[in-house]
Amino acid sequence: MSDDAPEGASGPPWPTWPVGFVGTPEDRSAALVLSALQGLTPRRLLERAQQHRTASAVLADIRRGSAGSERDRAFARTLDPASIGAAADACAARIVTWDDPSYPSQLRHIHDPPVLLYVIGADLPDVGSAVAVVGARSCTEIGREVAFGIGRALGVARATVISGAARGIDAAAHLGALDARGGTVAVMGCGVDVPYPRGSRELLERIRDSGTIVSEHAPGTPPFQRNFPARNRIVAGLSAATVVVEGATGSGSMITAEHAMEFGRDVYAVPGPVTSALSSVPLRLIRDGATMIRGPADLIEDLGLAPEAGAGPDLAELSADERRVLDRLAGPTLPDRVAAALGASVPEAVAILMRLELRGLVRNVGGRFESTLRGSAASG
């Protein structure tokens, strides 16, 4: 338990930043410099904080050469906190420190919490209304669609979607939330002013305008690979629950899920084919006790959120043949197989498939037709 937990309150079973660590203007300036150092992890800094109790004392310790790499010590001696603050101002980032009342309460209960956060856009959500959606960068089209649907359903239900703005599942979840005009938070493994990955520049601009971008790293910090596993603890820590949609062995989505479980948060996983490498993480999580969900409806129900009114397709609008076709599209299917199942000609089957495609219930992938997420809900 932290020795700084209020009397009678239970804190996390690991060290946290001492009360008053960033309590003075001098300490705040020191914390800005600490956020720009790359060789000292939050865990190593926490060890020093338990000894020295204030940010300015920790920084002085580093400058004396008692901690950090030679590069860190050189940076610590030369970095100007005013220039870091000016860089934050230039990108409209607020600085939220451990001693700030607006520091997210849910992050106070994770291991190695960030000493400060740079925040652009809306305020960070309360943990009760935030859900992390993570998964593979090189995802399948079905995975992308499921993540978008989950993000949109959460947005409609007024829950905030937390993710890492990476391509693939992360981006799809953010886009789903934005499509529903819901809240979304991008947690960065670089400075909040660094558009990474490059292909996410437009997405990050949209999140900046209507959501939140947050990082524990000073503005201008490059996207060092070592930052991203640590970033995942913040994704999980900000959220009441974490949803994993696709992920191969060794992926960051597993790290995020493990953090969520360690913090006592709920974990959900979307299953996939046992023959797919991208099913490895979700299936392992389900085997280890995570809750299996088939899509947005399951998640919204399990979280006790209000679903979108009229979200599903209107079955009354479908003809009997259209419903029969949907029922037979368990996977990618050639039109002649559909025709044989219906006892119809191939042109008749194609016509039905095209009508379903126009409704968004079916898609054509390489000449084979398969049900979309909405089509699966209709046929189920």
Side-chain angles (χ1 to χ4, degrees):
M1 179 183 296
S2 168
D3 57 1
D4 297 295
E7 185 178 352
S10 60
W14 44 70
T16 58
W17 302 100
V19 172
F21 185 74
V22 199
T24 69
E26 181 184 8
D27 290 326
R28 184 180 176 90
S29 293
L32 295 182
V33 175
L34 294 177
S35 75
L37 303 181
Q38 289 298 311
L40 279 168
T41 64
R43 181 164 299 181
R44 295 288 302 280
L45 284 173
L46 269 168
E47 292 171 358
R48 295 288 167 176
Q50 297 302 307
Q51 287 181 273
H52 300 288
R53 313 305 293 176
T54 67
S56 54
V58 170
L59 180 59
D61 185 50
I62 294 171
R63 285 172 170 166
R64 286 194 299 268
S66 300
S69 65
E70 183 55 45
R71 181 180 177 85
D72 275 331
R73 293 193 286 271
F75 270 133
R77 295 178 187 122
T78 59
L79 281 172
D80 177 14
S83 66
I84 300 173
D89 289 340
C91 63
R94 306 184 300 283
I95 300 169
V96 180
T97 70
W98 178 257
D99 288 294
D100 193 317
S102 63
Y103 188 95
S105 61
Q106 60 268 38
L107 290 186
R108 296 187 185 277
H109 300 281
I110 71 171
H111 66 66
D112 308 334
V115 66
L116 61 76
L117 296 167
Y118 296 90
V119 182
I120 295 178
D123 291 337
L124 291 167
D126 178 81
V127 66
S129 61
V131 178
V133 184
V134 298
R137 287 176 170 82
S138 300
C139 64
T140 66
E141 192 58 38
I142 285 286
R144 194 187 316 276
E145 184 181 311
V146 170
F148 180 91
I150 288 173
R152 189 180 191 285
L154 289 169
V156 168
R158 292 293 166 257
T160 300
V161 172
I162 314 286
S163 200
R167 67 181 186 274
I169 297 300
D170 287 16
H174 286 305
L175 288 169
L178 291 168
D179 186 68
R181 299 180 184 274
T184 192
V185 177
V187 183
M188 308 297 287
C190 52
V192 288
D193 57 340
V194 177
Y196 181 83
R198 295 176 183 175
S200 293
R201 181 184 293 272
E202 182 179 347
L203 171 62
L204 288 169
E205 288 176 355
R206 291 184 62 188
I207 295 173
R208 178 190 178 101
D209 290 342
S210 58
T212 309
I213 299 176
V214 62
S215 176
E216 64 182 320
H217 303 288
T221 300
F224 295 118
Q225 189 59 41
R226 61 180 175 268
N227 293 344
F228 290 92
R231 178 271 306 270
N232 293 338
R233 83 193 192 285
I234 300 177
V235 173
L238 283 171
S239 310
T242 291
V243 182
V244 177
V245 184
E246 297 186 339
T249 300
S251 68
S253 55
M254 189 67 193
I255 296 173
T256 307
E258 288 174 339
H259 283 314
M261 289 185 283
E262 186 176 10
F263 304 153
R265 314 290 168 82
D266 293 330
V267 176
Y268 297 87
V270 180
V274 295
T275 54
S276 170
L278 292 176
S279 299
S280 175
V281 170
L283 293 178
R284 177 179 168 186
L285 289 170
I286 292 167
R287 181 178 174 84
D288 290 345
T291 301
M292 184 196 79
I293 58 171
R294 296 164 295 180
D298 284 352
L299 179 65
I300 296 301
E301 179 181 354
D302 287 353
L303 293 175
L305 300 173
E308 179 182 6
D314 186 355
L315 291 178
E317 296 180 359
L318 300 180
S319 69
D321 283 344
E322 287 169 342
R323 272 181 262 180
R324 288 172 62 201
V325 168
L326 277 180
D327 287 341
R328 284 161 174 75
L329 292 181
T333 308
L334 290 168
D336 60 346
R337 294 290 185 90
V338 175
L342 286 178
S345 67
V346 172
E348 288 172 334
V350 169
I352 294 172
L353 289 165
M354 290 180 66
R355 289 200 301 270
L356 292 171
E357 188 175 13
L358 288 172
R359 290 174 182 263
L361 302 176
V362 161
R363 60 169 157 256
N364 186 339
V365 181
R368 296 174 184 266
F369 289 84
E370 62 184 13
S371 177
T372 64
L373 185 64
R374 293 179 68 240
S376 297
S379 61

